[in-house]
Every structure is written in C-alpha cells, then in structure tokens.
Amino acid sequence: MKYDLIAPCYFGTESAAAFDFKRIGAEDVAVTDGRVAFRGGPDIIAAANLWSRCAERVLIRIGTFKAKTFDQLFEGVKALPGEQFIPA
C-alpha cells in the first residue's frame, strides 16, 4: 500500500531533503516552503525516518479538509480514518 507522506524541514533544507527521498526510492517528490511531500510504502517510511538528514519527522497524510472555525476543525479531525493507522 502506498501512503501520502509529508516531511517538515527547516527552511532552506527542502531541496536536500527531497534529494534524500528521491535517493531512497520515494515517488512524486514535491518541494514546498518548509516541507517535502512524497509517496511510498512502509519500506519508504522506514528508510525516510532512518536516512533523511534534513527532515524533522515523517508524517502520514490521512486526509484533508477545509476548516474556518474550531468546530469545523474538530468535526473534520473526528471524521478522519485514524483507526486504520492506530489500533485500539
């Protein structure tokens, strides 16, 4: 299974982090200010955590939504499929 992943990093180190992710075999690597987005399976997640020199952490994107109020944010987070990734 492939996951959408995001790696926040310090400003100015995004291109170095993208190089690291491309080197380990990540797909669809996209650089934006302060983060690098990419796709990969469990092996890429493990390799990214072990071999990235510039990323702060590797996050799994489980969904997106727009929220303009705290209530919308709370309801949006409740609707995300978190139980697929974190067992009881």
Side-chain angles (χ1 to χ4, degrees):
M1 178 176 195
K2 301 275 180 163
Y3 299 99
D4 290 325
L5 305 164
I6 298 173
C9 45
Y10 295 110
F11 289 106
T13 63
E14 297 95 343
S15 61
F19 175 77
D20 289 342
F21 298 135
K22 288 176 186 174
R23 188 171 46 112
I24 62 171
E27 302 170 359
D28 302 329
V29 179
V31 177
T32 57
D33 288 340
R35 65 181 161 184
V36 178
F38 58 101
R39 285 184 55 79
D43 56 330
I44 297 296
I45 296 171
N49 276 300
L50 287 172
W51 301 111
S52 176
R53 299 168 293 161
C54 302
E56 296 175 20
R57 63 188 72 84
V58 177
L59 307 170
I60 300 173
R61 181 187 310 196
I62 60 173
T64 60
F65 58 90
K66 289 192 179 218
K68 294 188 179 198
T69 66
F70 181 77
D71 290 333
Q72 291 174 343
L73 176 64
F74 184 74
E75 292 302 320
V77 170
K78 280 188 357 185
L80 292 174
E83 62 276 353
Q84 291 179 359
F85 302 95
I86 302 171

